[in-house]
Amino acid sequence: MTWLKSVTHTAMEKAAPSIDLEFAEKLREQFGTPLYILFEEVVAAKSSSWEAINQPVHLSYATKANPTLEVLRWFADRGWSLDVASEGELRAALTAGVSAADCRFHGNAKLQSELEFALGAGIGEIIADNMEELEMIASCVGGQTAMPRLALRVAPGVNPETNAKISTGGAASKFGFSWPEGEVIPAWELATELGLQPSGLHAHIGSQIIDLQASKESAETLGQIAAEVESRFPHALKSVNFGGGLGVANGVPSPKEYMLASLETFPRKDLEFGFEPGRSMVADAGKTLYSVAAIKRRQGKLLVSVDGGLSDNPRPALYGAKYDVEPLRKSAQTESADIFGRHCETDLLFEDIQVPTDLEIGDLLLVHGTGAYNATMASNYNRFPRPAQVFLRSSGEVQLIQRRETYQDMFAREILPR
Ligand code: LLP
């Protein structure tokens, strides 16, 4: 099966391809719905737009956005390193054939066992979050394991305009060494005393950021921190990473604008600089295909339930996230509908969506922009098997990269004690 002839590109050129009804029906026949669909050409276009900055910048893909093994391998093949935030994400990278040396280990509460695993595997960089972690790293290294690069995650005291759940750089943040609370220099001192040779600063102030002001403020504060580190530990600082966070929405800055906001604000130019985008790499590349499973009319309003919901996309419920939804069977007459999932609660997924007035059970709905933080946050709520994921390669090939979960998979961990 090839998808090439079945795709229409909207006015937003390659960033937002869609698929036609005939092809969607073939996908459903072969893989079932709900189905996650990922377009390689969009991931490639996104990568190119990050790479298009005319200066050496280290780019890492934030694994958490879509940690499917083939996606990790794809980024590694392209020369990107991977930001991993747990032993599980690191193991995913290793299983995908990515070298631990090309992985950078994040986390605000890393476990000793995770640090031992990462160090034993030869992790490339650790971004340390707290004093206890520095002690743990030192105890793991113990003279035998080679010490990777060490950066300190800092909370610069900057609150970007975004959902509170994904804001991570404020003075009250649980993440990193707080600059406003005076933790950064003591942390650098401790890391130095412990022989860990800290060489980097890192700040990730949040996700789904669409305005550059907060990024500039963060880079400015990082500049002050860098100056302080330099005065206490001359030449120790080698790199600064500005995190990920670029949002997806109409009118967001381009990756280049996003990077330049930090790079031009940060006062020094003689260090290695890095970014670690997740959402902006894969969100627009992904779609979810649903079948309509129930239709009702309530107080004049059309209520449609699809064959998935909260378990394959918790983001509307968690963050009030909005998505574009496209009914694939076109009709001259449309009306507004609220679209729900089929979980045992009022899981409103998409509000006020234009659907054909004669919408039928089995009609296909395509939801755009679900490539980030959907498959990775899926659950088995109501014992729904998690969806399959297909990769539509630029060559035209349709590749299954994650099969649908089976009921056997689901019950495999469970024990019925006698
Ligand atoms: N670096 C660090 C240290 C991070 O914690 C994150 C995301 C990123 C990079 C990538 O950020 P991005 O470019 O994707 O914004 N589940 C939420 C998103 C949580 C983001 C967590 N950290 C959602 O569905 O919106």
Short mmCIF file of all heavy atoms in Angstrom, two decimals, residues 158 160 205 209 211-222 242 244 258 261-262 265:
data_model
loop_
_atom_site.label_atom_id
_atom_site.label_comp_id
_atom_site.label_asym_id
_atom_site.label_seq_id
_atom_site.Cartn_x
_atom_site.Cartn_y
_atom_site.Cartn_z
N VAL A 158 11.38 32.30 35.65
CA VAL A 158 10.65 32.88 34.54
C VAL A 158 9.39 32.05 34.30
O VAL A 158 9.47 30.82 34.20
CB VAL A 158 11.51 32.89 33.25
CG1 VAL A 158 10.71 33.34 32.05
CG2 VAL A 158 12.74 33.76 33.44
N PRO A 160 6.61 31.44 31.63
CA PRO A 160 6.05 31.73 30.30
C PRO A 160 4.53 31.67 30.35
O PRO A 160 3.96 31.07 31.26
CB PRO A 160 6.59 30.59 29.43
CG PRO A 160 6.88 29.49 30.38
CD PRO A 160 7.21 30.11 31.71
N ILE A 205 11.96 26.24 30.36
CA ILE A 205 11.01 26.99 31.19
C ILE A 205 9.56 26.56 30.99
O ILE A 205 8.67 27.01 31.70
CB ILE A 205 11.14 28.52 30.96
CG1 ILE A 205 10.97 28.85 29.47
CG2 ILE A 205 12.46 29.03 31.51
CD1 ILE A 205 10.88 30.35 29.20
N ILE A 209 5.10 27.02 24.25
CA ILE A 209 5.42 28.45 24.36
C ILE A 209 5.25 29.10 23.00
O ILE A 209 5.77 28.60 22.00
CB ILE A 209 6.87 28.64 24.87
CG1 ILE A 209 6.96 28.09 26.29
CG2 ILE A 209 7.30 30.09 24.80
CD1 ILE A 209 8.36 28.06 26.84
N ASP A 211 5.32 32.71 22.77
CA ASP A 211 5.79 34.09 22.74
C ASP A 211 7.25 34.11 23.19
O ASP A 211 7.66 33.33 24.05
CB ASP A 211 4.82 34.94 23.59
CG ASP A 211 5.45 35.59 24.80
OD1 ASP A 211 6.26 36.49 24.59
OD2 ASP A 211 5.13 35.18 25.93
N LEU A 212 8.03 34.96 22.53
CA LEU A 212 9.48 34.89 22.72
C LEU A 212 9.96 35.62 23.95
O LEU A 212 11.13 35.50 24.35
CB LEU A 212 10.18 35.47 21.48
CG LEU A 212 9.89 34.70 20.18
CD1 LEU A 212 10.52 35.41 18.99
CD2 LEU A 212 10.41 33.28 20.28
N GLN A 213 9.07 36.40 24.57
CA GLN A 213 9.50 37.23 25.69
C GLN A 213 10.10 36.40 26.83
O GLN A 213 11.17 36.70 27.35
CB GLN A 213 8.29 38.06 26.20
CG GLN A 213 8.61 39.16 27.17
CD GLN A 213 9.83 40.00 26.75
OE1 GLN A 213 10.02 40.30 25.57
NE2 GLN A 213 10.67 40.34 27.72
N ALA A 214 9.39 35.31 27.18
CA ALA A 214 9.86 34.48 28.29
C ALA A 214 11.20 33.83 27.95
O ALA A 214 12.09 33.71 28.81
CB ALA A 214 8.82 33.42 28.64
N SER A 215 11.36 33.42 26.68
CA SER A 215 12.63 32.80 26.27
C SER A 215 13.76 33.82 26.41
O SER A 215 14.87 33.49 26.85
CB SER A 215 12.57 32.35 24.81
OG SER A 215 11.50 31.48 24.63
N LYS A 216 13.47 35.06 26.05
CA LYS A 216 14.50 36.10 26.17
C LYS A 216 14.85 36.34 27.63
O LYS A 216 16.03 36.47 27.98
CB LYS A 216 14.01 37.40 25.52
CG LYS A 216 13.96 37.32 24.01
CD LYS A 216 13.53 38.65 23.42
CE LYS A 216 13.31 38.52 21.92
NZ LYS A 216 12.50 39.59 21.36
N GLU A 217 13.82 36.38 28.47
CA GLU A 217 14.08 36.60 29.91
C GLU A 217 14.92 35.47 30.47
O GLU A 217 15.84 35.68 31.27
CB GLU A 217 12.76 36.67 30.69
CG GLU A 217 12.06 37.99 30.57
CD GLU A 217 10.64 37.95 31.13
OE1 GLU A 217 10.38 37.16 32.08
OE2 GLU A 217 9.79 38.68 30.61
N SER A 218 14.60 34.27 30.04
CA SER A 218 15.34 33.11 30.54
C SER A 218 16.80 33.19 30.08
O SER A 218 17.73 32.96 30.86
CB SER A 218 14.68 31.83 30.03
OG SER A 218 15.42 30.72 30.44
N ALA A 219 17.00 33.56 28.80
CA ALA A 219 18.38 33.64 28.28
C ALA A 219 19.16 34.75 28.99
O ALA A 219 20.36 34.64 29.25
CB ALA A 219 18.35 33.90 26.78
N GLU A 220 18.45 35.81 29.34
CA GLU A 220 19.10 36.92 30.04
C GLU A 220 19.56 36.46 31.43
O GLU A 220 20.70 36.72 31.84
CB GLU A 220 18.09 38.05 30.18
CG GLU A 220 18.70 39.40 30.38
CD GLU A 220 17.60 40.46 30.46
OE1 GLU A 220 16.71 40.47 29.58
OE2 GLU A 220 17.64 41.24 31.43
N THR A 221 18.66 35.74 32.11
CA THR A 221 19.03 35.24 33.44
C THR A 221 20.16 34.23 33.33
O THR A 221 21.10 34.24 34.14
CB THR A 221 17.80 34.61 34.12
OG1 THR A 221 16.75 35.56 34.10
CG2 THR A 221 18.09 34.21 35.54
N LEU A 222 20.08 33.37 32.31
CA LEU A 222 21.18 32.42 32.12
C LEU A 222 22.50 33.15 31.90
O LEU A 222 23.57 32.69 32.34
CB LEU A 222 20.89 31.49 30.93
CG LEU A 222 19.94 30.33 31.22
CD1 LEU A 222 19.49 29.66 29.93
CD2 LEU A 222 20.61 29.28 32.14
N PHE A 242 19.11 25.69 26.05
CA PHE A 242 17.92 26.51 26.32
C PHE A 242 16.63 25.67 26.35
O PHE A 242 15.53 26.23 26.36
CB PHE A 242 17.80 27.61 25.27
CG PHE A 242 18.96 28.57 25.26
CD1 PHE A 242 19.96 28.47 24.29
CD2 PHE A 242 19.07 29.56 26.23
CE1 PHE A 242 21.03 29.34 24.28
CE2 PHE A 242 20.14 30.44 26.22
CZ PHE A 242 21.14 30.33 25.25
N GLY A 244 13.53 22.92 25.37
CA GLY A 244 12.61 22.80 24.23
C GLY A 244 11.53 23.85 24.40
O GLY A 244 11.81 24.98 24.78
N TYR A 258 12.79 31.32 17.22
CA TYR A 258 12.79 30.83 18.60
C TYR A 258 14.22 30.70 19.13
O TYR A 258 14.54 31.15 20.23
CB TYR A 258 12.08 29.48 18.64
CG TYR A 258 11.78 28.99 20.03
CD1 TYR A 258 10.79 29.59 20.81
CD2 TYR A 258 12.47 27.90 20.57
CE1 TYR A 258 10.49 29.13 22.08
CE2 TYR A 258 12.18 27.43 21.84
CZ TYR A 258 11.19 28.05 22.59
OH TYR A 258 10.90 27.59 23.85
N ALA A 261 16.04 34.11 19.51
CA ALA A 261 15.62 34.91 20.67
C ALA A 261 16.54 34.62 21.85
O ALA A 261 16.96 35.53 22.58
CB ALA A 261 14.17 34.59 21.03
N SER A 262 16.88 33.36 22.06
CA SER A 262 17.78 33.00 23.16
C SER A 262 19.24 33.31 22.82
O SER A 262 19.96 33.91 23.62
CB SER A 262 17.66 31.50 23.47
OG SER A 262 16.37 31.21 23.92
N THR A 265 20.05 36.98 22.84
CA THR A 265 19.94 37.62 24.15
C THR A 265 21.08 37.19 25.06
O THR A 265 21.60 37.99 25.85
CB THR A 265 18.59 37.23 24.82
OG1 THR A 265 17.55 37.50 23.91
CG2 THR A 265 18.37 37.98 26.11
#
